[in-house]
Amino acid sequence: MPAIALLSAVLVVGFEQIVQWKYGATGIIGLLLLSIGIKAKSPAISSIGAVVLALLVTGPAL
């Protein structure tokens, strides 16, 4: 069981590093808002995080 928790933590930290490398601090803030909103069951916060991430992904295309 500890191996699964350790693997999960490594994957989460790795994903956060990839987001920060590609999208910078704004990407981390969007990801943080999205995850906090989901954990707190707050649709407003998770929607703000999702919009921030969507704007970062589609920003150059606009």
Side-chain angles (χ1 to χ4, degrees):
M1 202 60 148
I4 294 173
L6 180 63
L7 181 63
S8 174
V10 167
L11 287 174
V12 168
V13 171
F15 181 71
E16 287 179 353
Q17 290 297 320
I18 289 171
V19 168
Q20 185 174 9
W21 171 70
K22 190 163 183 172
Y23 300 112
T26 309
I28 291 295
I29 291 170
L31 188 63
L32 183 68
L33 285 171
L34 183 64
S35 64
I36 288 173
I38 290 172
K39 286 184 182 182
K41 294 185 174 121
S42 172
I45 296 174
S46 60
S47 295
I48 292 170
V51 167
V52 168
L53 289 174
L55 286 174
L56 282 173
V57 170
T58 62
L62 297 174

Short mmCIF file of all heavy atoms in Angstrom, two decimals:
data_model
loop_
_atom_site.label_atom_id
_atom_site.label_comp_id
_atom_site.label_asym_id
_atom_site.label_seq_id
_atom_site.Cartn_x
_atom_site.Cartn_y
_atom_site.Cartn_z
N MET A 1 0.81 -1.19 0.00
CA MET A 1 0.00 0.00 0.00
C MET A 1 0.86 1.27 0.00
O MET A 1 0.52 2.21 -0.70
CB MET A 1 -0.94 -0.05 1.20
CG MET A 1 -2.13 0.82 1.03
SD MET A 1 -3.08 0.33 -0.41
CE MET A 1 -4.68 0.73 0.11
N PRO A 2 1.94 1.35 0.79
CA PRO A 2 2.77 2.56 0.74
C PRO A 2 3.40 2.78 -0.63
O PRO A 2 3.62 3.92 -1.02
CB PRO A 2 3.85 2.32 1.79
CG PRO A 2 3.29 1.31 2.72
CD PRO A 2 2.39 0.46 1.87
N ALA A 3 3.64 1.71 -1.37
CA ALA A 3 4.22 1.86 -2.70
C ALA A 3 3.24 2.55 -3.64
O ALA A 3 3.64 3.38 -4.46
CB ALA A 3 4.62 0.49 -3.25
N ILE A 4 1.96 2.24 -3.52
CA ILE A 4 0.95 2.88 -4.36
C ILE A 4 0.85 4.37 -4.02
O ILE A 4 0.74 5.21 -4.91
CB ILE A 4 -0.41 2.17 -4.20
CG1 ILE A 4 -0.31 0.75 -4.75
CG2 ILE A 4 -1.51 2.94 -4.90
CD1 ILE A 4 -1.53 -0.09 -4.48
N ALA A 5 0.89 4.70 -2.74
CA ALA A 5 0.83 6.10 -2.32
C ALA A 5 2.06 6.86 -2.80
O ALA A 5 1.95 8.01 -3.25
CB ALA A 5 0.71 6.18 -0.80
N LEU A 6 3.21 6.24 -2.73
CA LEU A 6 4.44 6.89 -3.19
C LEU A 6 4.40 7.09 -4.70
O LEU A 6 4.75 8.17 -5.20
CB LEU A 6 5.65 6.04 -2.81
CG LEU A 6 7.01 6.59 -3.22
CD1 LEU A 6 7.27 7.92 -2.54
CD2 LEU A 6 8.10 5.61 -2.89
N LEU A 7 3.95 6.10 -5.44
CA LEU A 7 3.84 6.22 -6.88
C LEU A 7 2.83 7.30 -7.27
O LEU A 7 3.08 8.09 -8.18
CB LEU A 7 3.42 4.87 -7.49
CG LEU A 7 3.29 4.83 -9.00
CD1 LEU A 7 4.63 5.11 -9.67
CD2 LEU A 7 2.74 3.49 -9.43
N SER A 8 1.73 7.37 -6.56
CA SER A 8 0.73 8.40 -6.82
C SER A 8 1.30 9.79 -6.57
O SER A 8 1.07 10.71 -7.36
CB SER A 8 -0.49 8.16 -5.94
OG SER A 8 -1.40 9.21 -6.07
N ALA A 9 2.04 9.95 -5.48
CA ALA A 9 2.64 11.25 -5.16
C ALA A 9 3.67 11.65 -6.22
O ALA A 9 3.72 12.82 -6.62
CB ALA A 9 3.29 11.20 -3.79
N VAL A 10 4.45 10.70 -6.68
CA VAL A 10 5.44 10.99 -7.71
C VAL A 10 4.76 11.42 -9.01
O VAL A 10 5.20 12.36 -9.68
CB VAL A 10 6.37 9.77 -7.94
CG1 VAL A 10 7.19 9.92 -9.20
CG2 VAL A 10 7.25 9.56 -6.73
N LEU A 11 3.68 10.75 -9.38
CA LEU A 11 2.96 11.11 -10.60
C LEU A 11 2.33 12.50 -10.49
O LEU A 11 2.38 13.28 -11.45
CB LEU A 11 1.89 10.07 -10.90
CG LEU A 11 2.39 8.73 -11.40
CD1 LEU A 11 1.24 7.73 -11.53
CD2 LEU A 11 3.11 8.88 -12.72
N VAL A 12 1.77 12.83 -9.34
CA VAL A 12 1.16 14.15 -9.16
C VAL A 12 2.21 15.24 -9.23
O VAL A 12 2.02 16.26 -9.91
CB VAL A 12 0.38 14.20 -7.83
CG1 VAL A 12 0.00 15.63 -7.47
CG2 VAL A 12 -0.85 13.32 -7.90
N VAL A 13 3.33 15.05 -8.55
CA VAL A 13 4.39 16.05 -8.58
C VAL A 13 4.97 16.17 -9.99
O VAL A 13 5.23 17.28 -10.47
CB VAL A 13 5.49 15.70 -7.55
CG1 VAL A 13 6.71 16.59 -7.72
CG2 VAL A 13 4.94 15.83 -6.14
N GLY A 14 5.12 15.07 -10.67
CA GLY A 14 5.61 15.11 -12.05
C GLY A 14 4.67 15.86 -12.97
O GLY A 14 5.09 16.66 -13.80
N PHE A 15 3.37 15.62 -12.82
CA PHE A 15 2.38 16.32 -13.64
C PHE A 15 2.40 17.82 -13.35
O PHE A 15 2.34 18.65 -14.27
CB PHE A 15 0.98 15.75 -13.38
CG PHE A 15 -0.09 16.41 -14.19
CD1 PHE A 15 -0.16 16.18 -15.55
CD2 PHE A 15 -1.02 17.24 -13.61
CE1 PHE A 15 -1.14 16.78 -16.33
CE2 PHE A 15 -2.01 17.83 -14.36
CZ PHE A 15 -2.07 17.61 -15.72
N GLU A 16 2.53 18.20 -12.08
CA GLU A 16 2.60 19.62 -11.74
C GLU A 16 3.85 20.26 -12.33
O GLU A 16 3.79 21.41 -12.79
CB GLU A 16 2.60 19.79 -10.22
CG GLU A 16 1.26 19.53 -9.59
CD GLU A 16 1.27 19.68 -8.09
OE1 GLU A 16 2.37 19.86 -7.50
OE2 GLU A 16 0.19 19.60 -7.48
N GLN A 17 4.96 19.55 -12.34
CA GLN A 17 6.18 20.10 -12.92
C GLN A 17 6.05 20.30 -14.42
O GLN A 17 6.52 21.29 -14.97
CB GLN A 17 7.37 19.19 -12.61
CG GLN A 17 7.78 19.18 -11.15
CD GLN A 17 8.24 20.55 -10.69
OE1 GLN A 17 8.93 21.27 -11.39
NE2 GLN A 17 7.83 20.91 -9.48
N ILE A 18 5.38 19.36 -15.10
CA ILE A 18 5.17 19.50 -16.54
C ILE A 18 4.28 20.70 -16.83
O ILE A 18 4.56 21.48 -17.74
CB ILE A 18 4.56 18.20 -17.12
CG1 ILE A 18 5.61 17.10 -17.11
CG2 ILE A 18 4.02 18.42 -18.53
CD1 ILE A 18 5.08 15.73 -17.46
N VAL A 19 3.22 20.88 -16.04
CA VAL A 19 2.33 22.02 -16.24
C VAL A 19 3.07 23.32 -16.00
O VAL A 19 2.96 24.27 -16.77
CB VAL A 19 1.08 21.91 -15.33
CG1 VAL A 19 0.30 23.21 -15.31
CG2 VAL A 19 0.18 20.78 -15.78
N GLN A 20 3.88 23.37 -14.94
CA GLN A 20 4.62 24.59 -14.63
C GLN A 20 5.66 24.86 -15.72
O GLN A 20 5.87 26.01 -16.10
CB GLN A 20 5.31 24.49 -13.27
CG GLN A 20 5.99 25.79 -12.89
CD GLN A 20 6.56 25.75 -11.49
OE1 GLN A 20 6.59 24.71 -10.85
NE2 GLN A 20 6.99 26.87 -11.01
N TRP A 21 6.31 23.85 -16.24
CA TRP A 21 7.32 24.04 -17.28
C TRP A 21 6.68 24.57 -18.56
O TRP A 21 7.21 25.45 -19.22
CB TRP A 21 8.04 22.73 -17.53
CG TRP A 21 8.94 22.76 -18.71
CD1 TRP A 21 10.12 23.44 -18.82
CD2 TRP A 21 8.74 22.10 -19.96
NE1 TRP A 21 10.66 23.23 -20.06
CE2 TRP A 21 9.84 22.41 -20.78
CE3 TRP A 21 7.75 21.27 -20.45
CZ2 TRP A 21 9.95 21.92 -22.06
CZ3 TRP A 21 7.87 20.78 -21.73
CH2 TRP A 21 8.97 21.12 -22.52
N LYS A 22 5.51 24.03 -18.90
CA LYS A 22 4.89 24.40 -20.16
C LYS A 22 4.07 25.69 -20.06
O LYS A 22 4.09 26.50 -20.98
CB LYS A 22 3.99 23.26 -20.65
CG LYS A 22 3.50 23.48 -22.04
CD LYS A 22 2.98 22.21 -22.65
CE LYS A 22 2.56 22.50 -24.08
NZ LYS A 22 2.23 21.33 -24.82
N TYR A 23 3.36 25.89 -18.96
CA TYR A 23 2.43 27.02 -18.84
C TYR A 23 2.81 28.03 -17.76
O TYR A 23 2.11 29.02 -17.59
CB TYR A 23 1.01 26.52 -18.61
CG TYR A 23 0.51 25.65 -19.73
CD1 TYR A 23 0.28 24.30 -19.54
CD2 TYR A 23 0.29 26.18 -20.98
CE1 TYR A 23 -0.16 23.50 -20.58
CE2 TYR A 23 -0.15 25.40 -22.03
CZ TYR A 23 -0.38 24.06 -21.82
OH TYR A 23 -0.80 23.26 -22.84
N GLY A 24 3.86 27.79 -17.02
CA GLY A 24 4.34 28.75 -16.04
C GLY A 24 3.51 28.76 -14.76
O GLY A 24 2.75 27.83 -14.47
N ALA A 25 3.66 29.84 -14.04
CA ALA A 25 2.99 29.97 -12.74
C ALA A 25 1.48 30.04 -12.90
O ALA A 25 0.74 29.55 -12.05
CB ALA A 25 3.50 31.20 -12.01
N THR A 26 1.01 30.62 -13.98
CA THR A 26 -0.44 30.71 -14.20
C THR A 26 -1.05 29.32 -14.36
O THR A 26 -2.17 29.07 -13.88
CB THR A 26 -0.74 31.56 -15.45
OG1 THR A 26 -0.04 32.79 -15.36
CG2 THR A 26 -2.21 31.85 -15.56
N GLY A 27 -0.33 28.41 -14.98
CA GLY A 27 -0.81 27.04 -15.11
C GLY A 27 -0.93 26.34 -13.77
O GLY A 27 -1.89 25.61 -13.52
N ILE A 28 0.03 26.59 -12.90
CA ILE A 28 -0.02 26.00 -11.56
C ILE A 28 -1.19 26.57 -10.77
O ILE A 28 -1.90 25.85 -10.07
CB ILE A 28 1.32 26.23 -10.82
CG1 ILE A 28 2.41 25.39 -11.45
CG2 ILE A 28 1.20 25.90 -9.34
CD1 ILE A 28 2.21 23.90 -11.34
N ILE A 29 -1.43 27.87 -10.91
CA ILE A 29 -2.55 28.50 -10.20
C ILE A 29 -3.87 27.91 -10.71
O ILE A 29 -4.76 27.61 -9.91
CB ILE A 29 -2.51 30.03 -10.35
CG1 ILE A 29 -1.32 30.58 -9.57
CG2 ILE A 29 -3.81 30.67 -9.87
CD1 ILE A 29 -1.03 32.04 -9.83
N GLY A 30 -4.00 27.77 -12.02
CA GLY A 30 -5.22 27.18 -12.58
C GLY A 30 -5.43 25.75 -12.11
O GLY A 30 -6.54 25.36 -11.75
N LEU A 31 -4.36 24.97 -12.10
CA LEU A 31 -4.44 23.58 -11.64
C LEU A 31 -4.78 23.53 -10.15
O LEU A 31 -5.58 22.69 -9.72
CB LEU A 31 -3.12 22.87 -11.91
CG LEU A 31 -3.07 21.38 -11.67
CD1 LEU A 31 -4.03 20.66 -12.61
CD2 LEU A 31 -1.66 20.87 -11.89
N LEU A 32 -4.20 24.43 -9.38
CA LEU A 32 -4.48 24.49 -7.94
C LEU A 32 -5.95 24.86 -7.69
O LEU A 32 -6.61 24.23 -6.86
CB LEU A 32 -3.55 25.50 -7.28
CG LEU A 32 -3.65 25.64 -5.77
CD1 LEU A 32 -3.15 24.36 -5.10
CD2 LEU A 32 -2.83 26.82 -5.30
N LEU A 33 -6.45 25.87 -8.40
CA LEU A 33 -7.85 26.25 -8.24
C LEU A 33 -8.79 25.11 -8.64
O LEU A 33 -9.79 24.85 -7.96
CB LEU A 33 -8.16 27.48 -9.08
CG LEU A 33 -7.64 28.81 -8.57
CD1 LEU A 33 -7.84 29.90 -9.61
CD2 LEU A 33 -8.31 29.19 -7.27
N LEU A 34 -8.46 24.43 -9.71
CA LEU A 34 -9.29 23.30 -10.16
C LEU A 34 -9.32 22.19 -9.11
O LEU A 34 -10.38 21.67 -8.76
CB LEU A 34 -8.78 22.78 -11.50
CG LEU A 34 -9.57 21.65 -12.13
CD1 LEU A 34 -10.98 22.11 -12.47
CD2 LEU A 34 -8.87 21.14 -13.37
N SER A 35 -8.15 21.83 -8.59
CA SER A 35 -8.11 20.73 -7.61
C SER A 35 -8.75 21.13 -6.28
O SER A 35 -9.44 20.33 -5.66
CB SER A 35 -6.68 20.26 -7.41
OG SER A 35 -5.90 21.28 -6.85
N ILE A 36 -8.57 22.38 -5.85
CA ILE A 36 -9.20 22.83 -4.61
C ILE A 36 -10.72 22.85 -4.78
O ILE A 36 -11.46 22.45 -3.88
CB ILE A 36 -8.67 24.21 -4.19
CG1 ILE A 36 -7.24 24.08 -3.68
CG2 ILE A 36 -9.55 24.84 -3.12
CD1 ILE A 36 -6.56 25.40 -3.40
N GLY A 37 -11.18 23.33 -5.92
CA GLY A 37 -12.62 23.37 -6.16
C GLY A 37 -13.24 22.00 -6.19
O GLY A 37 -14.35 21.80 -5.69
N ILE A 38 -12.54 21.04 -6.76
CA ILE A 38 -13.07 19.67 -6.80
C ILE A 38 -13.10 19.07 -5.40
O ILE A 38 -14.09 18.46 -5.01
CB ILE A 38 -12.25 18.80 -7.78
CG1 ILE A 38 -12.51 19.25 -9.21
CG2 ILE A 38 -12.57 17.33 -7.60
CD1 ILE A 38 -11.61 18.60 -10.23
N LYS A 39 -12.02 19.26 -4.64
CA LYS A 39 -11.98 18.68 -3.29
C LYS A 39 -12.99 19.35 -2.36
O LYS A 39 -13.57 18.69 -1.50
CB LYS A 39 -10.58 18.80 -2.71
CG LYS A 39 -9.61 17.83 -3.33
CD LYS A 39 -8.26 17.89 -2.67
CE LYS A 39 -7.32 16.93 -3.37
NZ LYS A 39 -6.00 16.91 -2.75
N ALA A 40 -13.20 20.66 -2.53
CA ALA A 40 -14.14 21.38 -1.67
C ALA A 40 -15.57 21.31 -2.20
O ALA A 40 -16.48 21.85 -1.59
CB ALA A 40 -13.72 22.84 -1.55
N LYS A 41 -15.75 20.66 -3.35
CA LYS A 41 -17.05 20.55 -4.01
C LYS A 41 -17.65 21.93 -4.25
O LYS A 41 -18.82 22.18 -4.01
CB LYS A 41 -17.99 19.68 -3.19
CG LYS A 41 -17.53 18.24 -3.13
CD LYS A 41 -18.52 17.36 -2.42
CE LYS A 41 -18.06 15.94 -2.55
NZ LYS A 41 -17.82 15.25 -1.35
N SER A 42 -16.78 22.84 -4.73
CA SER A 42 -17.20 24.20 -5.06
C SER A 42 -17.14 24.39 -6.57
O SER A 42 -16.06 24.49 -7.14
CB SER A 42 -16.27 25.20 -4.37
OG SER A 42 -16.54 26.50 -4.82
N PRO A 43 -18.30 24.44 -7.21
CA PRO A 43 -18.29 24.58 -8.67
C PRO A 43 -17.70 25.90 -9.14
O PRO A 43 -17.10 25.97 -10.22
CB PRO A 43 -19.76 24.49 -9.06
CG PRO A 43 -20.54 24.25 -7.84
CD PRO A 43 -19.63 24.28 -6.67
N ALA A 44 -17.82 26.97 -8.35
CA ALA A 44 -17.29 28.26 -8.77
C ALA A 44 -15.77 28.23 -8.85
O ALA A 44 -15.18 28.68 -9.85
CB ALA A 44 -17.75 29.35 -7.80
N ILE A 45 -15.13 27.70 -7.84
CA ILE A 45 -13.66 27.68 -7.81
C ILE A 45 -13.12 26.73 -8.87
O ILE A 45 -12.16 27.05 -9.58
CB ILE A 45 -13.15 27.30 -6.41
CG1 ILE A 45 -13.54 28.37 -5.41
CG2 ILE A 45 -11.64 27.12 -6.41
CD1 ILE A 45 -13.21 28.05 -3.97
N SER A 46 -13.74 25.56 -9.00
CA SER A 46 -13.25 24.62 -10.01
C SER A 46 -13.49 25.15 -11.42
O SER A 46 -12.68 24.93 -12.32
CB SER A 46 -13.90 23.25 -9.83
OG SER A 46 -15.30 23.34 -9.94
N SER A 47 -14.57 25.90 -11.62
CA SER A 47 -14.82 26.49 -12.94
C SER A 47 -13.81 27.57 -13.27
O SER A 47 -13.35 27.67 -14.42
CB SER A 47 -16.23 27.10 -12.98
OG SER A 47 -17.20 26.10 -12.84
N ILE A 48 -13.43 28.37 -12.28
CA ILE A 48 -12.40 29.39 -12.50
C ILE A 48 -11.09 28.73 -12.89
O ILE A 48 -10.41 29.16 -13.82
CB ILE A 48 -12.24 30.28 -11.25
CG1 ILE A 48 -13.49 31.14 -11.04
CG2 ILE A 48 -11.00 31.16 -11.37
CD1 ILE A 48 -13.52 31.86 -9.72
N GLY A 49 -10.72 27.67 -12.18
CA GLY A 49 -9.50 26.95 -12.51
C GLY A 49 -9.54 26.34 -13.90
O GLY A 49 -8.57 26.40 -14.65
N ALA A 50 -10.68 25.78 -14.26
CA ALA A 50 -10.82 25.18 -15.59
C ALA A 50 -10.75 26.24 -16.69
O ALA A 50 -10.14 26.02 -17.74
CB ALA A 50 -12.15 24.42 -15.68
N VAL A 51 -11.33 27.40 -16.44
CA VAL A 51 -11.28 28.49 -17.42
C VAL A 51 -9.86 28.99 -17.59
O VAL A 51 -9.40 29.25 -18.71
CB VAL A 51 -12.25 29.62 -17.03
CG1 VAL A 51 -11.99 30.88 -17.83
CG2 VAL A 51 -13.69 29.17 -17.19
N VAL A 52 -9.14 29.12 -16.49
CA VAL A 52 -7.74 29.57 -16.56
C VAL A 52 -6.92 28.59 -17.39
O VAL A 52 -6.15 28.99 -18.27
CB VAL A 52 -7.14 29.75 -15.14
CG1 VAL A 52 -5.63 29.91 -15.19
CG2 VAL A 52 -7.78 30.92 -14.44
N LEU A 53 -7.08 27.30 -17.12
CA LEU A 53 -6.34 26.31 -17.89
C LEU A 53 -6.75 26.29 -19.36
O LEU A 53 -5.90 26.17 -20.25
CB LEU A 53 -6.53 24.91 -17.27
CG LEU A 53 -5.83 24.70 -15.93
CD1 LEU A 53 -6.22 23.34 -15.35
CD2 LEU A 53 -4.34 24.82 -16.06
N ALA A 54 -8.04 26.45 -19.62
CA ALA A 54 -8.51 26.47 -21.01
C ALA A 54 -7.96 27.68 -21.75
O ALA A 54 -7.58 27.58 -22.93
CB ALA A 54 -10.03 26.47 -21.04
N LEU A 55 -7.91 28.83 -21.10
CA LEU A 55 -7.36 30.03 -21.73
C LEU A 55 -5.87 29.87 -22.00
O LEU A 55 -5.36 30.37 -23.02
CB LEU A 55 -7.62 31.25 -20.86
CG LEU A 55 -9.05 31.77 -20.86
CD1 LEU A 55 -9.21 32.90 -19.85
CD2 LEU A 55 -9.47 32.22 -22.24
N LEU A 56 -5.16 29.20 -21.11
CA LEU A 56 -3.74 28.98 -21.34
C LEU A 56 -3.51 28.05 -22.52
O LEU A 56 -2.60 28.27 -23.33
CB LEU A 56 -3.09 28.37 -20.11
CG LEU A 56 -2.78 29.34 -18.98
CD1 LEU A 56 -2.30 28.58 -17.75
CD2 LEU A 56 -1.76 30.36 -19.40
N VAL A 57 -4.34 27.03 -22.64
CA VAL A 57 -4.15 26.06 -23.71
C VAL A 57 -4.54 26.66 -25.06
O VAL A 57 -3.86 26.46 -26.06
CB VAL A 57 -4.97 24.78 -23.42
CG1 VAL A 57 -4.98 23.86 -24.62
CG2 VAL A 57 -4.39 24.06 -22.22
N THR A 58 -5.63 27.42 -25.10
CA THR A 58 -6.12 27.96 -26.36
C THR A 58 -5.65 29.37 -26.63
O THR A 58 -5.95 29.92 -27.69
CB THR A 58 -7.66 27.95 -26.40
OG1 THR A 58 -8.15 28.79 -25.37
CG2 THR A 58 -8.20 26.56 -26.27
N GLY A 59 -4.92 29.97 -25.71
CA GLY A 59 -4.46 31.36 -25.87
C GLY A 59 -3.76 31.66 -27.17
O GLY A 59 -4.14 32.60 -27.88
N PRO A 60 -2.75 30.92 -27.56
CA PRO A 60 -2.06 31.22 -28.81
C PRO A 60 -2.93 31.01 -30.06
O PRO A 60 -2.70 31.62 -31.09
CB PRO A 60 -0.88 30.25 -28.83
CG PRO A 60 -0.68 29.87 -27.42
CD PRO A 60 -2.04 29.94 -26.78
N ALA A 61 -3.93 30.16 -29.97
CA ALA A 61 -4.80 29.89 -31.12
C ALA A 61 -5.78 31.03 -31.36
O ALA A 61 -6.31 31.16 -32.44
CB ALA A 61 -5.55 28.59 -30.91
N LEU A 62 -6.02 31.83 -30.34
CA LEU A 62 -6.97 32.93 -30.50
C LEU A 62 -6.22 34.06 -31.13
O LEU A 62 -6.46 34.89 -31.76
CB LEU A 62 -7.55 33.36 -29.15
CG LEU A 62 -8.37 32.29 -28.43
CD1 LEU A 62 -8.76 32.79 -27.04
CD2 LEU A 62 -9.62 31.95 -29.20
#
